Amino acid sequence: MTLTKLLQSQGFGTRRECRELVLSGRVMVAGEVVTDAETEVAPEALKFSVNGQDWLYRVNAYVMLNKPAGYECSQKPKHYPSVLSLLPVQLRNRGLQTVGRLDEDTTGLLLLTDDGQFLHVYTSPKKNIAKVYRATVKHPLTDAQLTALCAGVVLHDDPEPVIAQSAIARDAHTLELTLTGGKYHQVKRMVAAVGNRVEALHRERMGEFGLPAALAPGEWCYVEPTSAS
Ligand code: URA
């Protein structure tokens, strides 16, 4: 692969822009400035730098974001900025998509990727990917509510009951809810259906990925899915 093509695949702009980056001496490979845009490079695990910033070649990008409140999971947001605005332009250029969605006011773990297969697996209801939410609820949780969430509740627009994999009261107002489905506003609607109300919602885990305590709201990091994903 030529260096220009590699840069283009990693989101550094159009072919012309990537060529220009190389010709102007802003790209280094293995610690050396390369100014021939047609230089052949082996992309696998290639480390390179652009304008002094280090990058690693990635066939696909998998990103975990600690989503803050006040951002929409949409390419074309209506009322708030897009979560994509929290990522560097190189990642935005790669066409990352959110793996499912969180509401504007929901915080926590959000995955983004440009790997269509991964996206499909992680969003398919058939794959039963577990998502763990922490919901702060208005009224003290009751055993009846926890039991009902796991037995299945019927939502307004859907006759099929939706079932939580588990519902645990961490304290009187903190519900840990594990779901495998991903219906619109599912947590808020399920909690409302058992007579309570979500006042704050945070996702802690999705499949094999847990939100690291060190990842502050608005921060992101690369993740590597296991081959089983
Ligand atoms: N369920 C909700 O109600 N909102 C979210 O953002 C995610 C799951």
Side-chain angles (χ1 to χ4, degrees):
M1 185 186 286
T2 66
L3 188 53
T4 299
K5 210 154 188 211
L6 177 131
L7 291 172
Q8 205 183 348
S9 76
Q10 302 299 287
F12 285 88
T14 61
R15 191 178 155 74
R16 198 167 151 197
E17 287 163 343
C18 292
R19 230 180 105 73
E20 192 47 43
L21 278 176
V22 182
L23 295 178
S24 59
R26 284 180 279 166
V27 181
M28 291 172 90
V29 177
E32 302 278 334
V33 175
V34 180
T35 51
D36 177 356
E38 301 310 311
T39 301
E40 285 289 331
V41 288
E44 223 43 58
L46 185 83
K47 289 183 179 152
F48 61 98
S49 73
V50 179
N51 292 325
Q53 190 178 351
D54 292 333
W55 294 87
L56 173 68
Y57 172 82
R58 293 168 196 272
V59 180
N60 288 112
Y62 307 90
V63 162
M64 181 193 291
L65 172 72
N66 185 352
K67 178 189 173 294
Y71 286 83
E72 288 183 27
C73 291
S74 167
Q75 308 268 357
K76 293 189 182 141
K78 290 203 177 101
H79 305 292
Y80 296 90
S82 166
V83 288
L84 293 164
S85 67
L86 295 166
L87 302 179
V89 67
Q90 292 81 4
L91 286 174
R92 296 205 301 271
N93 284 347
R94 288 186 70 142
L96 290 200
Q97 295 188 49
T98 65
V99 181
R101 289 184 174 207
L102 291 176
D103 298 336
E104 163 279 318
D105 56 350
T106 301
T107 59
L109 191 157
L110 181 69
L111 298 174
L112 301 102
T113 188
D114 57 1
D115 177 349
Q117 175 67 20
F118 177 87
L119 189 72
H120 173 71
V121 169
Y122 255 65
T123 50
S124 165
K126 291 192 192 128
K127 301 291 180 184
N128 288 333
I129 301 288
K131 282 150 267 180
V132 181
Y133 295 92
R134 184 184 72 224
T136 308
V137 295
K138 182 167 185 188
H139 308 292
L141 290 158
T142 65
D143 286 342
Q145 288 171 0
L146 300 175
T147 306
L149 287 165
C150 294
V153 295
V154 175
L155 304 177
H156 280 317
D157 56 351
D158 195 347
E160 270 291 292
V162 282
I163 294 170
Q165 203 176 70
S166 80
I168 298 164
R170 288 192 185 164
D171 63 42
H173 289 271
T174 309
L175 170 67
E176 178 191 304
L177 196 65
T178 304
L179 303 180
T180 52
K183 290 183 191 297
Y184 183 63
H185 291 333
Q186 187 166 342
V187 175
K188 291 172 186 166
R189 291 160 76 209
M190 286 180 79
V191 170
V194 300
N196 211 322
R197 186 186 159 87
V198 171
E199 297 204 310
L201 186 59
H202 181 79
R203 185 156 65 193
E204 296 183 338
R205 171 163 288 280
M206 190 167 180
E208 63 177 301
F209 303 103
L211 191 67
L215 197 66
E219 287 185 353
W220 65 274
C221 63
Y222 287 109
V223 292
E224 291 304 331
T226 61
S227 52
S229 293

